[in-house]
Amino acid sequence: MILMRNRRLAALPAAAALLAPLVLAGCGTEAAAGAPAADEARGPIRVLTSFYPLQFVAEQVGGDLVDVDNLTPPGGDPHFLELSPARTRDVGEADVVVTLTGFIASVDDAIEQRQPEIVVDAAEIVQLLPASVTGGHSHDHGHSHSHGHDHSHGHGHGHGHSHDHSDDEEHGTHYPSSPDELLEHANPEDREALRELIESGAEGHEHDHGHSEDHDHSHGHDHSHGHDHSEEHGHSEEHGHSHGHGHSHDMGGYDPHFWLDPILLAELAQPVAEALSQVDPENAEVFAANAADLVERLEELDAKFAEALAPFAGATMITNHTAFGYLAYRYGLNQVGITGLDHNIEPSPARMREIADMARHYGVTTLFYETLVSPRVVNALAGDLGINAVVIDTLEGLTSAGIEAGDDYISIMLRNLETLTEGLAVP
């Protein structure tokens, strides 16, 4: 199934038919005898992506046949991306736009205004997880408290966490040991989506790398629930701590950072290939082969992560904001964010004390802070605790230095893996 939003695709054959006589009339018999192929005359497919991981997929699938332009500039933070009128026009003029609806409001607005021909929307392809499950659930300090959500994730991998649940409850976390328990502890608003995820078999990955070809991308998943998870839950406040502080994504309570799970990013390869094939059907086999190659490389990356992180199953990963929920969910880590999905929030003194207590409780030796985010808070806390603070990349954007060094998604993820294996403490 081709999962993209075709805006005016049906009009393309008619437009081509109207233009053909004009082209022939202008070029005469010489053009008929020796004109270049249509794709050569047109040039590469113009692909516009909203932020880096989507750019990476488009470049790998399209190869030399595409010209990929990323709306988020080098070193830019997609969370705060604003588009100029010229860039908004670019959205409408692209042959294919690859985006994640709800992640960048200005891009969503531009797509709505300019109506590009073909939009590949990751939110319609990847099964996004509720933020309450990935650890990115947002709260407002002073108003709502922890709900005992699952931070062990693990995709039902059977990692066999050996935590004492009574201790975990003190920290507002709980580690479900089965899908039924996961559903029991999830927010009521999230249960339907989680049930779909479990029933679809997505929780049975267990690093069987032949699975990706069998995914049914037509989840029919509604990302527009619009739940305000920070206000609606009537959960007990006895745990006394809050995991975050609101976020700027309009994701309907879902965590957008799916690309930090290589297997989920691989799910975009085929839909992008199909979109490019709509524009350039003569090269459909090339796009399909490139997509298959990308999936294979991402599955190899997944296997490296699974092997290297296996000894750390159940380890606590403290980050300055909860961008790594999908990575933690895939590989059995327990992500704890100093703040929630919004990295532009200052944590309260109470939250800092709580994180310090948690670090001591779980024997944490390293705190992680992300690129594009000030390390001030994490460095201060690490200094107080006498432990390390290291940078880990969210891959939301490349820096100019990274581009010059030839960095890409896979090389940066491998660097992240090295950072994790050096910084995590075996539980």
Side-chain angles (χ1 to χ4, degrees):
M1 178 179 180
I2 299 175
L3 282 175
M4 54 189 141
R5 295 185 298 185
N6 294 322
R7 298 296 188 175
R8 296 185 298 277
L9 197 57
L12 289 177
L18 289 173
L19 287 172
L22 297 178
V23 173
L24 291 175
C27 297
T29 56
E30 249 184 5
D39 58 342
E40 294 176 358
R42 174 183 44 76
I45 299 172
R46 297 168 299 171
V47 180
L48 197 63
T49 59
S50 53
F51 61 105
Y52 174 66
L54 308 185
Q55 174 189 352
F56 172 76
V57 173
E59 289 174 340
Q60 299 304 304
V61 174
D64 294 337
L65 298 172
V66 299
D67 180 10
V68 181
D69 185 11
N70 191 25
L71 288 170
T72 302
D77 188 337
H79 299 82
F80 306 108
L81 180 66
E82 296 293 338
L83 299 182
S84 67
R87 293 302 267 163
T88 299
R89 286 193 298 273
D90 289 342
V91 171
E93 294 170 359
D95 296 314
V96 176
V97 174
V98 187
T99 191
L100 173 64
T101 296
F103 185 55
I104 306 175
S106 60
V107 175
D108 293 348
D109 291 343
I111 290 172
E112 186 63 29
Q113 292 171 21
R114 307 302 297 187
Q115 297 287 297
E117 299 289 353
I118 302 174
V119 177
V120 181
D121 185 2
E124 296 178 3
I125 298 166
V126 176
Q127 178 71 64
L128 297 179
L129 293 173
S132 60
V133 172
T134 64
H137 189 63
S138 64
H139 307 272
D140 182 4
H141 273 311
H143 292 89
S144 60
H145 299 268
S146 168
H147 309 314
H149 297 312
D150 170 29
H151 293 269
S152 65
H153 320 311
H155 263 339
H157 296 334
H159 291 298
H161 302 304
S162 58
H163 300 292
D164 179 358
H165 285 191
S166 62
D167 287 341
D168 296 332
E169 290 293 346
E170 293 176 6
H171 294 285
T173 62
H174 179 70
Y175 303 94
S177 59
S178 69
D180 288 342
E181 191 175 0
L182 176 62
L183 287 170
E184 178 185 351
H185 287 274
N187 297 329
E189 293 85 350
D190 297 335
R191 285 175 186 156
E192 181 178 354
L194 279 174
R195 189 173 288 109
E196 292 177 4
L197 180 65
I198 293 168
E199 291 175 354
S200 72
E203 294 228 347
H205 170 55
E206 295 188 355
H207 301 293
D208 175 4
H209 300 297
H211 73 288
S212 64
E213 296 300 322
D214 298 327
H215 282 185
D216 176 6
H217 298 300
S218 56
H219 302 295
H221 191 56
D222 179 7
H223 299 285
S224 59
H225 300 301
H227 297 308
D228 180 355
H229 293 285
S230 65
E231 299 297 332
E232 293 180 2
H233 305 317
H235 299 283
S236 167
E237 299 185 356
E238 63 186 74
H239 301 307
H241 98 259
S242 147
H243 283 295
H245 318 70
H247 61 81
S248 58
H249 312 301
D250 184 17
M251 300 298 298
Y254 288 81
D255 185 340
H257 302 88
F258 74 90
W259 59 88
L260 288 163
D261 177 342
I263 293 301
L264 292 184
L265 185 64
E267 292 185 11
L268 293 186
Q270 182 180 347
V272 169
E274 293 171 350
L276 298 177
S277 298
Q278 289 282 346
V279 182
D280 184 3
E282 292 184 3
N283 285 302
E285 292 185 3
V286 175
F287 299 136
N290 289 347
D293 178 69
L294 176 59
V295 169
E296 182 178 351
R297 287 188 288 135
L298 290 174
E299 287 180 345
E300 290 173 355
L301 178 65
D302 170 51
K304 290 178 181 178
F305 266 78
E307 180 180 5
L309 293 178
F312 300 96
T316 297
M317 175 187 181
I318 297 180
T319 61
N320 63 312
H321 95 290
T322 51
F324 294 90
Y326 287 89
L327 186 152
Y329 193 97
R330 175 68 68 180
Y331 304 111
L333 306 177
N334 303 316
Q335 177 188 227
V336 176
I338 297 175
T339 65
L341 287 174
D342 189 345
H343 63 220
N344 199 38
I345 296 294
E346 189 78 13
S348 70
R351 180 59 178 164
M352 294 291 283
R353 288 193 297 271
E354 183 179 39
I355 291 293
D357 290 343
M358 196 177 300
R360 296 186 188 99
H361 178 81
Y362 289 110
V364 171
T365 59
T366 302
L367 305 182
F368 300 95
Y369 63 91
E370 297 94 56
T371 50
L372 308 180
V373 176
S374 170
R376 180 180 58 83
V377 170
V378 171
N379 282 338
L381 180 58
D384 291 343
L385 293 169
I387 61 177
N388 299 319
V390 298
V391 66
I392 189 168
D393 204 314
T394 60
L395 284 127
E396 291 174 347
L398 291 182
T399 63
S400 297
I403 294 172
E404 292 177 5
D407 284 344
D408 67 3
Y409 174 87
I410 291 178
S411 67
I412 295 172
M413 283 292 284
L414 287 172
R415 196 154 60 236
N416 280 348
L417 178 58
E418 183 179 359
T419 298
L420 289 169
T421 55
E422 291 177 354
L424 291 171
V426 175

